[in-house]
Amino acid sequence: MKVDKDKDEGGIINGLLGLAASYRVTLTQLFRKPLTESYPEYKRPLPARSRARIILTRDKAGGERCVACYLCSGVCPVSCISMQSAEREGGRRYAAWFRINFARCIYCGLCEEACPTLAIQLTPDFEHSCRHPLDFVAEKEDLLVDHGGKDGDYDFYHYAGVDCGEGKGTHEAELPPVDIKSNLP
Amino acid sequence: MPYLIIDNRHIQVPRGTTVIDAAERLGIMIPRFCYLKVLGAVGACRMCAVMFEAGPVKGLQMSCMVQAADGMRVSTTHPEAVAFRRQIIEWLMINHPHDCPVCDEGGHCLLQDETISGGHSRRRYTGAKRTYPDQDLGPLVQHEMNRCIQCYRCVRFYQEYAGYRDLGVMGIASRIYYGRFSDGALESPFSGNLIDICPTGVYTDRPSRFLARRWDLQRADSICLHCSLGCNTVAGAHYRAVIRQESRENVRVNGSFICDRGRYGHAYANLAERPRQSRLDGEPAGWREAAREAAARLKRIAAAAGHSAIAVLGSARNSLETQIMLRYLSHHAQWRPPRFFVNGSEARSTAAVVARLDSRLAAGLPDLEEADFLLAVGVDPVNDAPMLALAMRQAARKGAKIVVLDPRPVELPFAFDLLSAGLGDLPAALAVLVKTAVSQAGTDGCEAQEKAFLAALPGRVPDEKLQGQLGQAGGWLAASRRPAIICGSAIAGPELAGLAADLALLLQTGKTPSRLFYLLPGPNAFGAGLLQRGSRYFPSLLQDIEKGGVRALLVVENDPFFRYPDQDRLHSALGKLELLMVLDYLPSRAARAAHIFLPGATVFEAGGSFINNCGLLQYAAPVHEGGIPLAQVSGGSHPPRAHAPAPGSEKCPSAYEALLFLANELAIRPPTMDASPWSLLPEDFPGQAELLAHPYPTDGLQLLPRLSEAESLQTPVNLPTSGPAAGALTVLRVEQTFGSEELSCYAEPLRQLAGPPLALLHGADADRAGVRDGEQLCFEIGGEKVELALQVTNRMAPGQLIIPHHYALGRAACRLPAVVAQAELRGLTGQDSPDLPQAITES
Amino acid sequence: MDSTGLIILLAKLLIVLAALLTGAAYLVLVERKLLGRFQLRPGPNRVGPAGIWQPLADGIKLLLKEDTVPAGADRILFLLAPAVVAMVPLLLFAVIPLGPDLHLANRTIPLVISDLNVGLLYILALSSLSVYGVVLGGWASNSTFSLLGGLRGAAQMISYELAMGLSLVPIVMLAGSFSLVDIVAAQEGFPFLLVQPVSFVIFLISALAEAKRLPFDLPEAENELMAGYHTEYSGMRFALYFVGEYINMIVLGGLLAVFFLGGWHGPLLPGPLMLGLKIIPVPLLLIWTRATLPRLRYDQLMQFGWKVLVPVALVNIVVTGGLILWLES
Ligand code: SF4
Ligand code: SF4
Ligand code: SF4
Ligand code: SF4
Ligand code: FES
């Protein structure tokens, strides 16, 4: 490969001037105030969408939003979510247990993005260091909160056409179930 | 051979190949919903549209409906085709309930895949969605009709392919509905295949409902162990429990489907009662410790009473590796040669089959599908080996004549002729039928020996009606070109197996070169048959134990108590043993009685090779590492929070592993089995050792010799022509599709489907015995009561009392005598039965 | 040498060693602080007021770290290589005159540890030795990254050593001696910087390259080679590489002062202090450069060394020689 001849645009003088200019730029930075916020002394209020400790939210009626669909555990790049899905009385699918190993979580937020029910959400609460690795393992009880978090109004079961006791055809934009014994047009 | 161009790539395909299949051969997966190769094309979904740019067909066409032809130029990526498919998928999604997160199909759903491949990602339609009521389809299949896209795959399989009518399509226009006329369990023993073929989540696996996503399963190729056909499956395990099985395509065995016994029979592997702890004289001990102690005791016994005081019992569910290890061990330790069958008749039948089957004769299930005449004798396909019935139905759909010669009221999902012959009459009836056929077709090609054999065959059966039917069927056989004889082993004895082989050979000399298909008693019965060579049968072993000649018995994955008729004798004999060592994964009675017990590993944990009824050696890969299912360790809640080793992760040794350890303790050091299991026994099986020098092909390795060396066409033939004396009933113990087979009868959903046990009796016998349909029979044997309802039917052969092996009957039912007098039947009827007047009971 | 001489020598050694090591440790802190400020950060500020105990904390941490030797490494070379890197700059400092001779109780104490008459050659020789630490460490680690780092180090050293040597020829011509004491003495009137600006620039650049600091830090180029030749080092051995680099910066300052800035000569202040004042700007300049310039490409590095520095240095020699002849004649 032919090596680029470092085209000499403007000659040595310009080059030297450029070099000097860059030294000048860095020098001026030296005399500016650092931008750093010193952490424990000052805690900056974080935006709601910043990504730290994970919670499992509830719907408006107080039910668990998570339907144990395994999408979050499937998408998690470090495989730190595990759960066991099960069926509740009435036919709702839920997580019999649900576990996040925060010692492994990289707070990428992919789980939140994958969640079809908006159940799993990352919160700005990032201060949860502890001494023992096992203390980082959070169970469902540790994760469940009693509010809806972001978009608290959404309820998966209002839109999905699956019957969990309230009968077919009763959800958002659904017709009543067809009469399968009728051959009338 | 048409030569065509698809997406600028050239391919030549056999005549009759559809364009969608031709593309698949090139690795181009054209989107589809309704098309399934085994079911054929109907063009219902319009998803497979491609552009035909040149050739005999032009324009936008369904690739599943067009056969490949010379000169075709096809584009699957033509803008018009892409736009068309995008609209189709959008329309199909209009009524979709958007419930993928709670749908078990999610993750392996064709509808999800095609929605993405079609580029449809945003719902534009704002109208209301159609909904459907769902039905309860029984314990195996969950119904969720909202997800249906009307592809007709399910009914085409259920009605056309499998031949059952209780699930169908109803309604008109946009209210098309797939289901049963009313709620109720699906009648087909193949209903689980709906789960595999439905492209969406309308039918999902009910026992594993909401348990795991497919992508989380540890999946491996496995083999079904619930009958001798050896259908191929893919087993999936999650958190140390096997939770789901799917069919795996093998065109040499099961084709694309499996039966429900195979699909749902794996529950025994997850059983809470499954023994996981090895025991030494009733006390818990580590398995190595227990095995070491066993070796010490075996040495002591051998020193005191000679090596032949030690005997070995394997089983027909052992993997081939285990069986070979057993044989090797007993050979080198100079113990008695291993036995594999508790039932002497099964042992002899299997020996006959293994001796007689060769590649001249052997047919596989696919050959049966192509036959034009099928003669099944001593077989109740749906109950003995369900997939056999499905294969026979494919032959029937192509116009084959099918005759079943059996004492049972056989029912099959297709038209056939049932010739009812008593158990004792079966060989003679078969001989008569074939003799008629050969005589009709002419004996020109026959040699002297064959002619002599033919002449020695009986020409008549006593029953006139049967004689007439046999004659007619013989005519059909004579007229057929590709006939096959299917011979069972569950009820008939070894004579039938030998005779069937002789008759098939006889037919091969004429114009109707018949093939032969045997059923065997167990998934690796063929292997057991090969390896039991030179050993005597279990009943003789029992005698030796009683006489004190045998002092130690090593039982590997077998439960002699499971079906042995004389339970008391067995119990007292085994009680005499100085050492009863049992190695098993089932909570069996033998396991409880053992002095030394080692828990075993199932096929899902240990894997193994199995030889099916056609002599095809297949390998089942281990699915997971073993250990107690997490749900059992953690009681349904989250698993214990601890660093490794997690509780319950200790594995049970595979039988092979445990035997290897035992052998080492006994200072017998077998070479490792990495290369081929047969290498352990080169002198016994030189042919096989050579065959198996290489890894098995995935679709199995045929082990049959080209020509069997066994004596054939032995004259004179001495066939019994009638059953027990008048007034006596032969008791037939028969298999049921569900609830009778040793492993699958632990599966709760299958138990539900098995229903209560029914005794069957011919109308004439019932009249003579004075019992009525629906009456409760109550036997009292050995102090235990057995109750079962009586069903009277005239579709069966008279002179038999048919009683199923049924999990609910308990062990006492094993002790039923082989023959009961009709009078005795009355006597067996419980005293407290209100239906029977006192006088009859006394007389 | 009498025993007093020996004691005096030992004292000199001790003082110089202590000064150099402390200097190096605090140079690390200064660099981190300055870099922080260049990048609008405060820099280390947690250990002690304004982070002044940071070097101590670093030292303790490094001391306590496990000393790992990678599998397949050449153990002996691997263990020895860092020592070479740390030793060489210390030895270099031995010939730098720190001030005028001291007269104490009718003894003359030269303020230099050793006045070699071939001091300049000694410096050139030793400074090329230091590349052994790099090459051997890189090779002995049995790691691709280290090996590449070591190779680059060797190539770079060979290329720039030449320019450096050539840039010093005019100094020798001017001073008429290889002894550093003589060279300093020759600058009593005016520092050579005034007559040899070109040599000064060439020496500065080559020294930068030999110190393997930005923009010439290709042997360790962290975004390509992890940490180059010392990727596999940990604990105190890694610290040796580190300390070596920082002492080297100070020594470079000393050499520049000796060759071009008149050494300890200067108004008002006593010699050693004057020398110190002249040394300090050099490490600071190097740090500033690090904050300013990006790393060169490998081919640019080679091209610059061979096609610019060497020819210019040669021309400079010829011109200087001509001028000297002309002035003398
Ligand atoms: S934030 Fe990322 S790493 Fe953490 S649980 Fe979610 S997907 Fe996994
Ligand atoms: S993606 Fe959401 S609904 Fe699904 S399992 Fe995770 S938290 Fe539950
Ligand atoms: S139920 Fe499934 S297989 Fe049957 S028509 Fe609907 S989508 Fe097709
Ligand atoms: S037919 Fe037999 S081998 Fe095949 S799946 Fe059913 S039980 Fe298993
Ligand atoms: S796959 Fe061709 S129309 Fe359905």
Side-chain angles (χ1 to χ4, degrees), chain A residues 69 85 99 137 168 175 184, chain B residues 129 134 175 210 639 641:
Chain A
C69 65
S85 49
R99 173 181 274 185
V137 180
K168 281 284 176 99
L175 299 170
L184 294 177
Chain B
K129 298 180 199 172
D134 298 329
R175 305 197 311 266
F210 289 175
R641 212 191 293 201

Side-chain angles (χ1 to χ4, degrees), chain A residues 57-59 64-69 71 112 114-121 148 150-151 154-157, chain B residues 101-102:
Chain A
T57 57
R58 291 181 187 272
D59 59 26
E64 287 170 21
R65 266 171 153 181
C66 170
V67 296
C69 65
L71 286 181
E112 176 169 359
C115 181
T117 65
L118 308 187
I120 196 166
Q121 297 184 2
K150 296 164 261 185
D151 288 308
Y154 178 77
D155 187 343
F156 167 78
Y157 281 106
Chain B
V102 295

